[in-house]
Amino acid sequence: GQNIDQPTEMTATEGAIVQINCTYQTSGFNGLFWYQQHAGEAPTFLSYNVLDGLEEKGRFSSFLSRSKGYSYLLLKELQMKDSASYLCAVLDSNYQLIWGAGTKLIIKP
Amino acid sequence: DAGITQSPRYKITETGRQVTLMCHQTWSHSYMFWYRQDLGHGLRLIYYSAAADITDKGEVPDGYVVSRSKTENFPLTLESATRSQTSVYFCALSGGENSPLHFGNGTRLTVT
């Protein structure tokens, strides 16, 4: 079966760096997405990786290793507003999105 | 420009009633999706549509019906609501098969 694993919850301190991991086993691979979802709101797109390596977008970076079935989202200079759930999703060979259950990130002052 | 609008935002209904959730877009994106989100589960795909008059089942289609007679509208109907359909429902759009999804604000549905 197809599966995506993410930690359920993580805690970090304001101003610090946090890395949220995502491992996947899917039927084929056509890209990996990260979304941010604040409580009570809709998910919003953060990043897309289809080739191995690091993609940087301001304070957020996303890394992909296709051979290891692994990605991470790196958040730097954490702010209180980064408290949210982070969803990892993989596009399989049929272009179907497989979603992880999400990682709830708690930022403490 | 809201881009994608879902209505209603909140709905309480009784078991056995028919309920329709609306989704409207102003961007003319081809792909539209309906997801439900429940605690402990990731987003689960109910139905999707690649274009007007083309719809297909997702992971959890039972008890739901969709239609897409116009590109901009993609309503989701619960034919006879059950308590297990209490959930948050998100409509989403994308411009292509590997394009990111844009989500509506969601509909929080409670079936009593």
Side-chain angles (χ1 to χ4, degrees):
Chain A
Q2 307 204 86
N3 192 53
I4 294 186
D5 285 317
Q6 307 178 233
T8 303
E9 187 174 296
M10 298 181 71
T11 303
T13 304
E14 191 177 15
I17 298 173
V18 71
Q19 177 175 310
I20 302 174
N21 295 326
C22 170
T23 58
Y24 62 89
Q25 291 177 306
T26 56
S27 303
F29 179 85
N30 278 302
L32 185 145
F33 295 87
W34 284 97
Y35 288 82
Q36 180 189 59
Q37 185 177 24
H38 286 103
E41 298 183 8
T44 55
F45 169 70
L46 285 178
S47 67
Y48 172 66
N49 294 68
V50 66
L51 299 176
D52 290 350
L54 189 68
E55 296 275 346
E56 296 186 74
K57 268 189 187 181
R59 294 188 300 113
F60 291 11
S61 303
S62 56
F63 172 83
L64 174 67
S65 168
R66 288 172 296 171
S67 63
K68 295 182 179 178
Y70 168 70
S71 173
Y72 68 72
L73 182 69
L74 192 71
L75 291 73
K76 301 176 185 176
E77 301 168 15
L78 285 170
Q79 302 175 9
M80 297 304 292
K81 67 179 182 179
D82 297 329
S83 291
S85 289
Y86 291 86
L87 313 180
C88 173
V90 172
L91 209 51
D92 72 10
S93 58
N94 294 320
Y95 289 92
Q96 300 294 314
L97 259 183
I98 312 301
W99 292 86
T103 298
K104 183 178 181 180
L105 178 63
I106 299 168
I107 310 296
K108 295 187 174 178
Chain B
D1 177 12
I4 174 170
T5 305
Q6 283 187 243
S7 61
R9 288 297 309 275
Y10 302 93
K11 176 75 177 177
I12 300 174
T13 192
E14 295 177 342
T15 301
R17 297 241 185 208
Q18 183 180 78
V19 178
T20 296
L21 310 184
M22 305 301 295
C23 180
H24 174 77
Q25 63 152 322
T26 59
W27 289 336
S28 299
H29 278 353
S30 297
Y31 292 87
M32 297 186 76
F33 305 82
W34 275 106
Y35 284 95
R36 61 178 289 173
Q37 188 174 41
D38 306 284
L39 277 174
H41 293 275
L43 286 160
R44 292 186 289 175
L45 182 64
I46 304 170
Y47 270 95
Y48 65 100
S49 168
D53 296 322
I54 300 174
T55 62
D56 215 338
K57 294 179 180 179
E59 180 187 355
V60 289
D62 292 345
Y64 303 95
V65 173
V66 293
S67 63
R68 196 167 175 204
S69 56
K70 293 184 178 180
T71 301
E72 61 267 30
N73 295 323
F74 190 40
L76 175 74
T77 298
L78 288 66
E79 296 182 295
S80 177
T82 65
R83 289 199 181 94
S84 65
Q85 293 177 309
T86 291
S87 186
V88 179
Y89 290 86
F90 287 105
C91 179
L93 320 172
S94 81
E97 286 182 315
N98 58 352
S99 297
L101 293 178
H102 300 277
F103 287 84
N105 287 331
T107 295
R108 185 173 293 274
L109 176 69
T110 302
V111 183
T112 62

